[in-house]
Amino acid sequence: MTTNASAMYADLSLSLTLSEAGAGRPVLVLHGGGGPATVAGLAQHISRTARTLTPVHPGWDGTRRPAWLTGIDDLALAYLHLLRDRRLRDVLVVGSSLGGWIAAEMAVRDSAGSITGLVLVDAVGVQIETEHITDFFALDARGVAEHSWYDPDRYYVDPAGLPAEELACRQANMATMRIVAGDPYMHDPTLLRRLGQVQVPSLLLWGESDRIVTPAYGAAYADAFGDGRLEVVPKAGHLPQIEQPEATFALIDAHLRELGDPSDQQ
């Protein structure tokens, strides 16, 4: 079910396009720069055993981005307000790529204790001196495929063959990503040192062949959490939930089981 939800942040209203499905523990699923389609299968799988909430980040896929929303911190605070407004507790936040960065920023700001678990899938968001984030904006379509996939030939899409409407949507998504995550590029310089205060169980899943952010980047990211661990998915790149869904879903399912059944499900 897709609904329009409202959240309040800094006395400013925000209209969200939000898909909801399933029942049980609340799971907030956050997409990356590629848009909501990149986590659709993941959200569908999780909804078999949990209640999923999957927003479209404002400015993606034709949704409106208010002028005040200019950073990942704005998105993180807006989604924390959404959890508060819905009175959701025992929330697992699952984020892919840019969505993983949002999840991490939410966790360090979660003074209400709404979040009790994290899954970050090939997340960006921190600065690791020895493992730089590839400049996505500098790559052409073929370069994006080569850096993002274990099997780039299977997933490469020639932009020249796309319908004009879809191409325009992709370009608008990238323009929004530049605004919210382009400066400093794909990271918050202070986030890494703040992650130690996050004590909830945090699973970081990484595609073995990711060249946007390497598994070594993921290992340093996981080590920064108070309770973080890294699992590497073979034969996958930046989006293991698409390239190796069975292995990725199994790891997330196990993490959900380890979190246990919350006593106060919403």
Side-chain angles (χ1 to χ4, degrees), residues 76-100:
L77 287 168
Y79 290 141
L80 283 172
H81 278 266
L82 175 68
L83 300 185
R84 182 202 66 186
D85 293 345
R86 294 291 185 95
R87 298 183 180 180
L88 297 174
R89 308 289 297 177
D90 296 302
V91 180
L92 174 68
V93 184
V94 179
S96 170
S97 189
L98 190 80

Side-chain angles (χ1 to χ4, degrees), residues 87-176:
R87 298 183 180 180
L88 297 174
R89 308 289 297 177
D90 296 302
V91 180
L92 174 68
V93 184
V94 179
S96 170
S97 189
L98 190 80
W101 177 7
I102 299 169
E105 295 279 6
M106 290 177 68
V108 298
R109 292 169 166 82
D110 182 27
S111 58
S114 301
I115 299 169
T116 53
L118 294 173
V119 177
L120 275 59
V121 184
D122 293 78
V124 295
V126 296
Q127 185 175 25
I128 307 298
E129 293 297 336
T130 57
E131 297 292 331
H132 297 296
I133 304 169
T134 296
D135 186 352
F136 186 87
F137 299 127
L139 301 173
D140 60 15
R142 185 68 204 185
V144 169
E146 293 288 346
H147 282 76
S148 300
W149 303 103
Y150 167 77
D151 185 358
D153 290 336
R154 179 180 178 185
Y155 293 96
Y156 169 68
V157 175
D158 185 349
L162 292 174
E165 184 176 348
E166 182 176 349
L167 184 60
C169 180
R170 290 188 178 205
Q171 291 171 341
N173 288 351
M174 290 302 100
T176 299

Side-chain angles (χ1 to χ4, degrees), residues 2 68 90 105 166 176 188 239 242 245:
T2 300
W68 56 264
D90 296 302
E105 295 279 6
E166 182 176 349
T176 299
D188 176 341
L239 298 169
I242 293 177

Side-chain angles (χ1 to χ4, degrees), residues 27 61 80 90-91 187 191 211 215 218 228 230-231 253 257 263:
V27 180
D61 281 21
L80 283 172
D90 296 302
V91 180
H187 76 281
L191 180 57
R211 293 172 60 203
L230 177 72
E231 293 282 355
D253 289 346
R257 289 193 298 270
S263 59

Side-chain angles (χ1 to χ4, degrees), residues 189-230:
T190 71
L191 180 57
L192 189 70
R193 61 178 168 81
R194 291 184 288 135
L195 291 176
Q197 72 193 55
V198 179
Q199 297 297 321
V200 301
S202 302
L203 171 64
L204 281 81
L205 294 180
W206 233 262
E208 184 179 39
S209 299
D210 190 356
R211 293 172 60 203
I212 300 292
V213 277
T214 65
Y217 177 99
Y221 210 152
D223 286 345
F225 282 95
D227 183 8
R229 65 184 176 92
L230 177 72

Side-chain angles (χ1 to χ4, degrees), residues 234-248:
K235 297 184 178 180
H238 194 62
L239 298 169
Q241 71 271 20
I242 293 177
E243 222 168 358
Q244 295 294 337
E246 290 187 6
T248 303

